[in-house]
Amino acid sequence: LNYDASKARVEAARGQVERAVRLAPQAVETELAAGAYRLQQREYAVAEQHFRRALALAPRDPRLALGLAEALDGQQKTEDARDVWLTHPAFGGRDPRPLVEWAARIRVKDFPEAEKLFLRALELAPTTRGYSQYLNALLLVGDAPTAKELIASIPPAVLQEDALVMDAVKAWTWGGEPEPALALLARIPRDFLEEFVYSTPKDAILGHALKLQGRHAAAEAAWNRALAVLETKLAAEPGRARWLRLRADLLALTGRVEEAEKVQTLLQDLPNDSFANTDFYRARFLAHAGKAQEAAATIAGGKLWLREHSEGRLAPWFAEVRRQPRVTELVKTWEREYEEMSRRRVVKG
């Protein structure tokens, strides 16, 4: 479910869970499957019940403890979730996954503490999610040198995982270095990248690297290819906000702003979808559409998102937006905050 949240996949998962409940209603695997399904549906209280029942049967199963923590976190029971991630006996003090999950939750409020947890997790056992979350945390505080060191330390085979492809390309592109981004993308045979909450046609991020090199025609060609790939997703799920948002961005990048605005109108009818109507996605669309002043107004209206989304402070397509006075001051504010936070960071030797 983490990798494919399409309606068809969700319905298939629901059917499998219902069948499992009929066949073995009190089995650990049944409770695990039911809990995972409820997490996907954001029915966190119900998911919590499933995971607690499962843990009563198998108290040392780390999968169940991870699910319980996520269910608690989804209900804003933050301290309870923290206690599970950091102290539950199912993890035995040697599992990197709970450390990564808690670090990911606190990286905005307390990056130094989050960094300690990320480094400890990588010492225990490097994972794709551990690398990904730490890399994004480094971008959040604007630490490009350490981000590059981290990318260089990732084994080449692991670096070809979808999430890390996108993260590494992001780090290089935002840092003004398109060459290593292009080299990595050339080694990836897939035309669509999707992992965790990330989803994009490969050519969509390729276009940004090409534009950074000054190859504007090649960038536009890449974005048009990305649109063609995206059409297959939309054909299967025409109302899914994630695909509509990507389509609006790509249309704007290729100069079809009027058509892109029509897609944005469709997104406004999906108020409960986090991929549809947040200030962050709206500002990104406006930046792609060349509407810097409108993007700046959107950012100023939702001030906190600059703190949580490094894209607004680093990505080249936000450069003109950052030059707008109201955004310039916000960027300076958050940079001062991160400078202060950095003084408490771990000294790595």
Side-chain angles (χ1 to χ4, degrees), residues 145-157:
T146 305
K148 292 174 187 176
E149 289 175 12
L150 179 62
I151 294 170
S153 75
I154 300 173

Side-chain angles (χ1 to χ4, degrees), residues 178-259:
E179 288 76 16
L182 292 170
L184 176 58
L185 289 170
R187 298 196 297 271
I188 305 303
R190 302 175 295 283
D191 62 7
F192 200 88
L193 305 174
E194 185 169 17
E195 197 162 350
F196 304 140
V197 298
Y198 301 86
S199 301
T200 186
K202 182 180 75 170
D203 280 318
I205 56 177
L206 174 65
H208 290 299
L210 290 168
K211 184 176 180 180
L212 198 60
Q213 275 194 326
R215 298 163 62 186
H216 298 281
E220 185 166 343
W223 288 326
N224 278 316
R225 292 195 302 272
L227 276 166
V229 170
L230 193 58
E231 288 303 320
T232 62
K233 297 286 186 181
L234 281 165
E237 300 177 276
R240 192 173 180 190
R242 183 178 298 191
W243 311 147
L244 290 170
R245 176 179 57 75
L246 282 167
R247 186 166 190 267
D249 285 346
L250 288 165
L251 287 169
L253 286 165
T254 52
R256 287 168 276 183
V257 175
E258 185 176 344
E259 188 177 352

Side-chain angles (χ1 to χ4, degrees), residues 64-220:
L64 306 176
L66 287 168
L68 175 60
E70 188 173 345
L72 292 167
D73 188 55
Q75 297 174 77
Q76 308 301 313
K77 298 179 180 179
T78 306
E79 291 305 312
D80 291 342
R82 175 191 177 279
D83 289 344
V84 173
W85 276 316
L86 298 186
T87 67
H88 200 284
F91 300 125
R94 302 295 302 173
D95 192 324
R97 293 172 296 176
L99 303 183
V100 170
E101 294 306 319
W102 179 241
R105 267 67 173 187
I106 65 171
R107 64 184 184 180
V108 174
K109 292 183 178 179
D110 191 352
F111 174 76
E113 181 60 27
E115 185 171 41
K116 292 178 187 177
L117 293 171
F118 283 132
L119 292 171
R120 174 60 177 156
L122 289 174
E123 287 176 2
L124 289 172
T127 62
T128 297
R129 184 158 174 80
Y131 282 127
S132 176
Q133 290 295 327
Y134 184 30
L135 180 53
N136 277 282
L138 290 168
L139 292 176
L140 185 71
V141 297
D143 187 351
T146 305
K148 292 174 187 176
E149 289 175 12
L150 179 62
I151 294 170
S153 75
I154 300 173
V158 178
L159 190 56
Q160 294 202 31
E161 294 284 340
D162 284 8
L164 291 175
V165 170
M166 289 181 277
D167 288 337
V169 169
K170 177 168 60 179
W172 286 320
T173 305
W174 292 3
E177 299 181 44
E179 288 76 16
L182 292 170
L184 176 58
L185 289 170
R187 298 196 297 271
I188 305 303
R190 302 175 295 283
D191 62 7
F192 200 88
L193 305 174
E194 185 169 17
E195 197 162 350
F196 304 140
V197 298
Y198 301 86
S199 301
T200 186
K202 182 180 75 170
D203 280 318
I205 56 177
L206 174 65
H208 290 299
L210 290 168
K211 184 176 180 180
L212 198 60
Q213 275 194 326
R215 298 163 62 186
H216 298 281
E220 185 166 343

Side-chain angles (χ1 to χ4, degrees), residues 3-22:
Y3 300 96
D4 182 0
S6 66
K7 184 177 180 181
R9 179 66 184 274
V10 169
E11 285 301 308
R14 182 177 62 81
Q16 291 166 3
V17 168
E18 289 175 351
R19 184 171 184 273
V21 170
R22 288 195 303 271

Side-chain angles (χ1 to χ4, degrees), residues 247-248 250-266 282 285 288-289 291:
R247 186 166 190 267
L250 288 165
L251 287 169
L253 286 165
T254 52
R256 287 168 276 183
V257 175
E258 185 176 344
E259 188 177 352
E261 285 285 7
K262 292 178 181 177
V263 178
Q264 280 292 121
T265 300
L266 291 176
R282 177 64 182 170
F285 166 76
H288 288 329
K291 300 182 178 183

Side-chain angles (χ1 to χ4, degrees), residues 139-143 303 306-315 322 327-343:
L139 292 176
L140 185 71
V141 297
D143 187 351
K303 296 177 183 179
L306 261 185
R307 184 176 190 237
E308 300 177 6
H309 295 284
S310 49
E311 181 177 329
R313 291 181 285 112
L314 301 173
R322 288 192 291 270
V327 176
T328 299
E329 289 306 311
L330 286 173
V331 170
K332 289 179 180 178
T333 297
W334 299 128
E335 287 179 345
R336 284 194 295 269
E337 178 177 321
Y338 287 125
E339 285 173 7
E340 177 62 30
M341 210 182 283
S342 292
R343 297 192 182 99

Side-chain angles (χ1 to χ4, degrees), residues 288-300:
H288 288 329
K291 300 182 178 183
Q293 291 185 347
E294 289 182 48
T298 300
I299 290 173

